[in-house]
Amino acid sequence: MWQSSPPGSIYDYIRVASFSIGPDGLIDQWSLRAEELFGLVARDAVGKDPVEAFMPADARDRGHRKVAEILDGKEWTGLVPFRMPGQAGARGLAEIYVMPTETEGGERAALCIVVDVRALRRIETDLAASEAIFGQSPFGFLLFGTDLTVQRANRRFATVFGGAADDHRGKTVHDYLTRSEADRMTAALQRVLETGEAVTDMQLVGAAPGSQERRHWSINLYRVHSGAGRPVGVAGLGTDVTRRHLAAREAANARRNLALLNEAGARIGNSLDLETTARELLDVTVPGFCDLASVDLFQGLLAGDEAPPGRGGAAHAGGYGGGSAELRRVAFASAVSDAPLAAPWCVPEGGVPGPIAVGAVHRYPFNSPCAGALRTARPRLIEDPASDDLIQCTLAVPMVAHDTVVGLAQFSRTKGSEPFGERDRALAVELAARAAVCIDNARLYRREHERALILQRSLLPPGDPEAAGLDIACRYLPGNTATEVGGDWFDVIELPGHRTALVVGDVMGRGLRAAVAMGELRTAVRTLALLDLEPAEVLSALDEIARGLGAPAGGRQAPRAALQSRDADLSEVYLATCVYAVYDPVTRRCTFANAGHLPPVLVEPGEPGEPSRPALLLEVPPGMPLGVGGEPFEEVEVELPEGALLALYTDGLVESRDHPLDEGLRSLRGALADPVRPLEDVCDHVLNTLDTRHGEDDIALLMARVQGLRPDAVGDWKLPREPRSVSRARELARDQLVAWNLEALVDTTELLVSELVTNALRYGEGEIRLRLLRDRTLVCEVWDSGLVQPRRRRARDTDEGGRGLQLVGLLSASWGSRRTPRGKTVWFELPLPDGAPAAELSVEQLLSMY
């Protein structure tokens, strides 16, 4: 059957040409291929002697002889050099096959078939190169036909997939790959064949025949064309990149591990809370490292025991009663399930098999992997591929900090995920160790925080303080467990004469040290206040005490010099702010002194039927903080109207990171705009209105509403310096007590008043003043201009006097003396009668005066 040769046949490559020679030896026919080969059109070639026209001069004699032999009927094949006309002497080499022919008239002629030898040599070279590349390539090489079957395979491919290279002819990719991968490859071949767009580095996964090892190949595909440009198939080059893939995976895992460690360093331990730190560990590891994770901490550690169950190393980390010590599940995270999953190796001791909920307290049985990990302080890899559970493997990692096991972290991967390797184990241990150190630090901090809080609260006034002429309400809000205890304190101190000292202070710094410093300063304030010193004198003495607190061995130091010294230990410098006020309910005057503290706030009541006046910041000169030294403190005396509201506070109430101090002070003044409501409600309103950011700092708030003593509760008389003033004093005291319905105190009061007035006449100077004050107790005061303070002494048996102050001390609840701007005041205090008969002096008390 005849058929035409399709485009792209061999003749497109070898350039076959033909021409004929007539009986006269001249060219009589010239083909189109001859025109292409020799570069000469037919009209220029027909009628010419081919020897003269194309052959070099030195070969023409031999050429004429050969032509004569051919015209005599002899066939000839050989290589003939030829000169290409019009190309400046360019030469070529042709392989010519000459066949003798006859014309219609019986004359001899010849038909010449010419092939360009250069084209043949090029084809030979290309075939040799193609064979070398295809056959000797170290990569697998396939040639697919247009029907996507293998047309040819090289030896390397046959070495991997078995058999000889020719055995693979006619196969498809489904004979080598799994169905999913073969479908991907077929789609890629079809796309390349149709579009001509090459595919580079296509990743395929499979296994060689007879092997279970997963291999990775990189495939490159490109379309192959014939000489005429027609697509004839697709060439595929495959490279085994399994090692490169493993190396890349190892590098990716290493990068992931480094990223996890960096993230862990940034995210774990940002709070000093045990549970929060455990959750931070899981936030880092799920899902970046594992699919599920949980953290169990020893219950004793959470309860604040001094020695956690893991104290002493691995030997005691898990063995209690045959199983682990009690643990509490404090955190759980999952990327595959909202609830914890039950695992056969995590069944609680004596419990029903099932998941352990967050917050549950449990134990692990002695023979369980988890108890073993706690006991040995070494991680355990738990694998159970045959289980129907979702979990494929689990790493049980003890959390060890400073040779102490504080808990157990479990990291799990589900089926289908990559199993844990050695690198994963090392990473899990590192992550658990970092979290354990943070948890142990949080435990130590929590213990110190609780101790400081207990110490701090024990030093604050118990219950609701009471004071004469003042309605008092106070609030103290410590910082939360995420912040250290501060040094804020307040105090209400009863002074002689029904006066009251109001104190609010703040030690700079946090923690147990600040709480201890606060306690020392508070004790010092109470001691100085009972000496009845002026407010400025109290702060001056307190400043001296504060400067001595930070000195080595209790010695005195100068903080300014210490702060300027490069070698100074700043942690030993005690600084504090304090405002100290003394209120007299008789005169309703309050004297203030300030040591670097925020100014008090005063709200004066309005006229009847009118709203209160705007809250004012009292202009009390702010001195230097306590502990700085070198600067005197100033006093300011303010008369407080009846019903006025006074507020003392610390900076935690008005200052935070989110707003400046001035804004906080304005908010405080606004919150105090309506002081008529009950004082407790005013305190709550202030705390609820201000944006205090409670927890960032301690807050102390001390509020007092002025309620001066009624005029009928005060008896005040002046007595001349004469002996009859003693009897006059007794008479005045008796009449006043009868008016107050305090007849039960008349005898004792007359006796003690007589003693004090007698001492004022004998040892004092100037005019004598007698004052009786009735509030929660009865106070009697005797004033004179003398500066010599009375001193209690034991009288000798022969002395006629010297027993008056002893008598005062025995019969009164308390007594004392204080300096005044114009002399001194001696006072005593008696409790008001409660209906019970007054206690009589015992024989021993009477004899103690002799």
Side-chain angles (χ1 to χ4, degrees):
M1 180 180 295
W2 294 85
Q3 64 179 21
S4 60
S5 177
S9 68
I10 190 62
Y11 297 107
D12 292 334
Y13 295 95
I14 61 176
R15 300 178 65 183
V16 177
S18 65
F19 63 90
S20 62
I21 301 174
D24 56 0
L26 301 178
I27 299 173
D28 61 0
Q29 289 185 2
W30 191 255
S31 67
L32 295 177
R33 288 291 182 97
E35 292 182 3
E36 296 177 4
L37 178 61
F38 294 104
L40 193 66
V41 298
R43 65 174 176 270
D44 294 333
V46 174
K48 289 188 175 181
D49 185 346
V51 175
E52 296 294 331
F54 301 105
M55 296 185 67
D58 55 354
R60 289 175 183 171
D61 290 342
R62 186 179 178 187
H64 285 299
R65 288 196 299 271
K66 289 295 181 182
V67 170
E69 293 176 357
I70 292 169
L71 292 178
D72 285 340
K74 185 178 180 181
E75 290 186 6
W76 182 79
T77 300
L79 298 176
V80 178
F82 65 91
R83 177 174 54 85
M84 303 179 69
Q87 295 195 20
R91 294 191 178 191
L93 185 63
E95 183 174 340
I96 300 180
Y97 174 45
V98 183
M99 296 177 291
T101 60
E102 291 183 355
T103 63
E104 295 179 356
E107 296 179 303
R108 301 276 186 175
L111 176 61
C112 299
I113 304 300
V114 184
V115 177
D116 190 349
V117 174
R118 292 176 302 174
L120 292 176
R121 297 295 180 267
R122 185 167 59 251
I123 291 173
E124 291 177 355
T125 303
D126 290 346
L127 287 175
S130 176
E131 181 63 26
I133 294 174
F134 193 84
Q136 301 174 21
S137 172
F139 310 113
F141 214 121
L142 289 177
L143 180 62
F144 295 92
T146 55
D147 58 354
L148 304 186
T149 61
V150 177
Q151 301 297 314
R152 190 174 180 188
N154 69 346
R155 288 193 300 271
R156 176 58 182 169
F157 182 85
T159 300
V160 175
F161 287 93
D166 292 339
D167 296 340
H168 295 276
R169 294 182 184 271
K171 292 186 177 182
T172 66
V173 293
H174 286 81
D175 296 315
Y176 307 107
L177 301 173
T178 61
R179 182 174 180 177
S180 59
E181 294 289 80
D183 290 342
R184 279 206 313 129
M185 180 70 171
T186 301
L189 289 170
Q190 190 67 41
R191 187 169 59 253
V192 172
L193 189 62
E194 292 175 355
T195 65
E197 296 180 359
V199 171
T200 59
D201 198 22
M202 178 181 179
Q203 299 294 316
L204 293 178
V205 179
S211 174
Q212 298 297 324
E213 183 181 2
R214 287 165 57 91
R215 310 296 295 177
H216 296 262
W217 291 288
S218 173
I219 305 299
N220 297 288
L221 303 175
Y222 58 92
R223 191 168 67 182
V224 179
H225 303 84
S226 66
R230 181 178 63 87
V232 295
V234 178
L237 178 65
T239 306
D240 190 336
V241 293
T242 303
R243 291 185 179 179
R244 186 177 71 186
H245 177 81
L246 294 177
R249 187 173 63 180
E250 286 292 322
N253 289 340
R255 288 193 297 270
R256 182 204 63 184
N257 293 353
L258 288 175
L260 281 174
L261 289 176
N262 290 335
E263 186 179 3
R267 297 180 61 182
I268 298 177
N270 290 326
S271 69
L272 290 172
D273 181 75
L274 299 174
E275 292 82 358
T276 301
T277 302
R279 288 193 296 270
E280 289 170 347
L281 170 63
L282 302 193
D283 290 340
V284 171
T285 56
V286 178
F289 176 69
C290 61
D291 301 315
L292 302 95
S294 63
V295 173
D296 299 325
L297 297 181
F298 282 116
Q299 179 67 8
L301 180 143
L302 296 172
D305 292 349
E306 287 294 323
R311 180 67 64 185
H316 301 88
Y320 286 83
S324 69
E326 285 189 343
L327 298 111
R328 183 193 299 174
R329 176 66 53 87
V330 296
F332 169 79
S334 172
V336 296
S337 174
D338 294 334
L341 299 177
W345 56 82
C346 293
V347 177
E349 183 181 47
V352 179
I356 301 173
V358 175
V361 178
H362 61 93
R363 296 174 183 264
Y364 289 116
F366 181 82
N367 293 326
S368 66
C370 295
L374 290 170
R375 190 166 51 250
T376 61
R378 293 185 178 182
R380 294 287 184 92
L381 177 60
I382 309 168
E383 296 179 296
D384 190 12
S387 173
D388 294 333
D389 192 79
L390 179 63
I391 299 175
Q392 175 186 221
C393 56
T394 296
L395 271 174
V397 184
M399 305 177 71
V400 183
H402 310 118
D403 294 330
T404 300
V405 180
V406 299
L408 181 72
Q410 296 183 63
F411 308 102
S412 301
R413 288 181 179 175
T414 56
K415 291 183 178 179
S417 300
E418 184 178 353
F420 289 113
E422 286 300 321
R423 290 180 181 270
D424 296 324
R425 182 194 294 257
L427 176 62
V429 171
E430 176 65 22
L431 292 174
R434 292 193 179 194
V437 170
C438 296
I439 287 174
D440 194 50
N441 290 340
R443 176 184 68 85
L444 297 174
Y445 168 78
R446 175 181 288 185
R447 184 180 66 184
E448 180 179 345
H449 184 275
E450 291 175 350
R451 289 177 177 177
L453 195 58
I454 292 173
L455 173 63
Q456 189 179 47
R457 286 176 173 172
S458 67
L459 296 174
L460 294 175
D464 297 326
E466 296 181 356
L470 292 176
D471 181 16
I472 295 179
C474 53
R475 295 289 186 274
Y476 177 75
L477 302 178
N480 56 34
T481 56
T483 60
E484 294 187 82
V485 171
D488 295 14
W489 92 90
F490 69 92
D491 209 345
V492 179
I493 307 171
E494 294 186 49
L495 300 178
H498 286 316
R499 294 172 304 130
T500 303
L502 303 176
V503 188
V504 169
D506 184 2
V507 176
M508 298 182 185
R510 293 183 178 274
L512 188 60
R513 173 187 173 275
V516 171
M518 178 270 285
E520 292 176 319
L521 293 179
R522 178 181 178 273
T523 303
V525 169
R526 294 189 70 88
T527 302
L528 295 171
L530 294 178
L531 294 177
D532 216 348
L533 302 177
E534 296 297 324
E537 294 178 328
V538 170
L539 292 186
S540 296
L542 198 62
D543 177 65
E544 292 288 335
I545 294 172
R547 286 196 289 166
L549 291 179
R556 183 174 176 181
Q557 72 175 33
R560 282 185 173 177
L563 289 171
Q564 295 172 357
S565 174
R566 292 184 180 180
D567 300 329
D569 183 0
L570 297 182
S571 65
E572 293 302 323
V573 177
Y574 284 74
L575 298 177
T577 63
C578 180
V579 60
Y580 184 88
V582 175
Y583 172 70
D584 188 343
V586 178
T587 61
R588 292 202 313 276
R589 287 185 171 275
C590 190
T591 305
F592 296 90
N594 191 353
H597 203 79
L598 296 172
V601 177
L602 177 65
V603 185
E604 297 183 358
E607 296 296 331
E610 296 182 359
S612 301
R613 299 176 183 177
L616 301 175
L617 296 177
L618 293 180
E619 296 182 359
V620 180
M624 299 298 292
L626 302 176
V628 174
E631 298 292 337
F633 297 98
E634 300 183 36
E635 293 180 356
V636 172
E637 188 176 68
V638 179
E639 184 173 351
L640 305 178
E642 186 76 19
L645 184 66
L646 180 66
L648 306 177
Y649 51 93
T650 56
D651 56 0
L653 182 66
V654 294
E655 187 176 23
S656 74
R657 306 178 207 168
D658 299 332
H659 58 258
L661 178 61
D662 292 343
E663 181 180 338
L665 292 174
R666 284 196 301 270
S667 299
L668 174 60
R669 294 169 59 190
L672 294 173
D674 183 16
V676 180
R677 67 179 73 182
L679 199 56
E680 294 290 336
D681 294 344
V682 175
C683 283
D684 294 335
H685 177 69
V686 169
L687 295 177
N688 295 331
T689 302
L690 269 63
D691 184 16
T692 59
R693 299 287 180 184
H694 173 50
E696 292 183 0
D697 195 3
D698 292 4
I699 296 174
L701 175 62
L702 177 61
M703 304 187 72
R705 179 174 283 130
V706 175
Q707 298 174 348
L709 292 181
R710 298 190 310 273
D712 60 355
V714 179
D716 196 350
W717 306 277
K718 293 182 179 179
L719 303 173
R721 291 192 62 81
E722 54 187 31
R724 64 178 182 173
S725 292
V726 177
S727 60
R728 177 59 178 162
R730 288 197 300 268
E731 179 183 352
L732 292 173
R734 180 175 61 253
D735 293 342
Q736 185 65 67
L737 292 181
V738 171
W740 287 341
N741 296 320
L742 298 177
E743 290 85 353
L745 299 180
V746 169
D747 294 340
T748 302
T749 304
E750 282 186 332
L751 175 60
L752 299 185
V753 165
S754 177
E755 291 293 337
L756 294 187
V757 172
T758 300
N759 283 346
L761 288 172
R762 181 175 299 179
Y763 305 110
E765 299 177 6
E767 189 179 41
I768 299 172
R769 180 181 176 187
L770 172 64
R771 190 168 76 169
L772 294 180
L773 306 175
R774 188 196 67 180
D775 192 68
R776 290 175 291 115
T777 61
L778 175 68
V779 174
C780 176
E781 298 176 333
V782 176
W783 306 42
D784 69 77
S785 301
L787 299 178
V788 178
Q789 297 290 323
R791 182 173 59 88
R792 183 177 177 179
R793 64 182 180 87
R794 181 176 296 276
R796 295 189 296 269
D797 295 342
T798 57
D799 290 344
E800 295 182 359
R803 299 177 179 86
L805 293 181
Q806 286 183 276
L807 189 63
V808 172
L810 289 174
L811 296 179
S812 66
S814 60
W815 77 279
S817 66
R818 68 177 186 271
R819 291 180 300 168
T820 65
R822 296 181 180 178
K824 68 176 180 297
T825 298
V826 183
W827 56 272
F828 66 85
E829 184 176 358
L830 295 175
L832 299 182
D834 55 1
E840 297 182 357
L841 294 179
S842 64
V843 176
E844 290 78 7
Q845 290 175 325
L846 292 174
L847 291 177
S848 66
M849 294 186 295
Y850 295 92

